[in-house]
Amino acid sequence: MVVGNGDVGREAADVIDAGDVVIRFNGCRNFGAAGTRTDVVAVCNTGRPGAEMLADPRWRKSEAVSSAKEIWSIRDPQKFAAMRAELAVTHPELDDFCDDYTTGFAQFAAAHDKRHRIIPATVHDALDTALTSYSPAPYVVPSSGMVLIQALVSDPEYDDALLVLAGFGHSGWEWHPFDAERQLADSLVRGGRLMRLETLLPSSLSQGA
């Protein structure tokens, strides 16, 4: 179960919690409404979101983070360090976008007996290549959710897994290529690599999923 921070109907909570592995993102905003089981919290480990999570005791002590066995850093720090100079020219307003907090998340994980994993740059690069098929408008980086999906579908460990998406509205920050990401996710659904949660629910329960 890959649970984004979009709307999920409360009727889906039990289905999500019944998953073998439940992955949530950053602040796990729909925790409760979208179930409570949390095995992995995937974090945006650079820029303002990373800094705010690490500095916020409410995030550190939240039920979702406390119960998670693993913390996954979505952004490869070396890749983002290499992006800094170009972004300073193309998007000077994103001056803190590449600030790296991976070490902080690794230390937090170690201090709380959690595994820490970094999604490698090769996953990000492969996703950029896959998105070109859908002619995305200029963007800065793919969304954290789509990077994690790419990591799962390209990892042999999950070849036989049923990967279910919940709370993915494919909308948000203007510099993510959400339209292309939606098309890529739909292609993966058609190919049998992904399933959207609403297909596991009776039609009367799928509203808002």
Side-chain angles (χ1 to χ4, degrees), residues 23 32 42 67 116 126 133 170 179 183-184 188 199:
I23 303 174
S67 63
H116 179 249
S133 296
H170 302 289
D179 185 59
Q183 294 179 70
L184 176 56
L188 292 168
T199 65

Side-chain angles (χ1 to χ4, degrees), residues 85-148:
E86 181 178 354
L87 283 178
V89 175
T90 61
H91 294 81
E93 72 280 10
L94 301 179
D95 57 322
D96 60 352
F97 186 75
C98 296
D99 291 355
D100 180 45
Y101 299 96
T102 309
T103 298
F105 285 108
Q107 291 173 341
F108 171 81
H112 293 83
D113 296 319
K114 304 179 190 297
R115 177 192 178 199
H116 179 249
R117 173 183 177 184
I118 300 172
I119 303 299
T122 52
V123 169
H124 187 140
D125 295 341
L127 176 56
D128 282 331
T129 299
L131 289 169
T132 60
S133 296
Y134 304 98
S135 304
Y139 65 93
V140 174
V141 292
S143 68
S144 294
M146 203 65 210
V147 173
L148 186 132

Side-chain angles (χ1 to χ4, degrees), residues 5 23 29 34-35 38 44 50 59 118 125 131 153 176 178 180-181 209:
N5 283 315
I23 303 174
R29 288 197 304 268
T38 308
C44 178
W59 181 84
I118 300 172
D125 295 341
L131 289 169
V153 299
H176 290 324
F178 282 117
E181 290 186 5

Side-chain angles (χ1 to χ4, degrees), residues 22-82:
V22 179
I23 303 174
R24 302 181 190 273
F25 293 87
N26 294 323
C28 310
R29 288 197 304 268
N30 53 25
F31 182 87
T36 58
R37 177 169 179 171
T38 308
D39 298 286
V40 177
V41 175
V43 297
C44 178
N45 50 300
T46 71
R48 224 162 295 170
E52 291 175 353
M53 279 184 279
L54 284 176
D56 187 353
R58 292 171 299 178
W59 181 84
R60 291 170 168 267
K61 296 177 181 179
S62 67
E63 186 177 346
V65 173
S66 296
S67 63
K69 303 176 184 68
E70 303 185 19
I71 303 292
W72 292 5
S73 290
I74 294 291
R75 295 175 170 176
D76 186 302
Q78 293 185 344
K79 180 175 182 64
F80 277 72

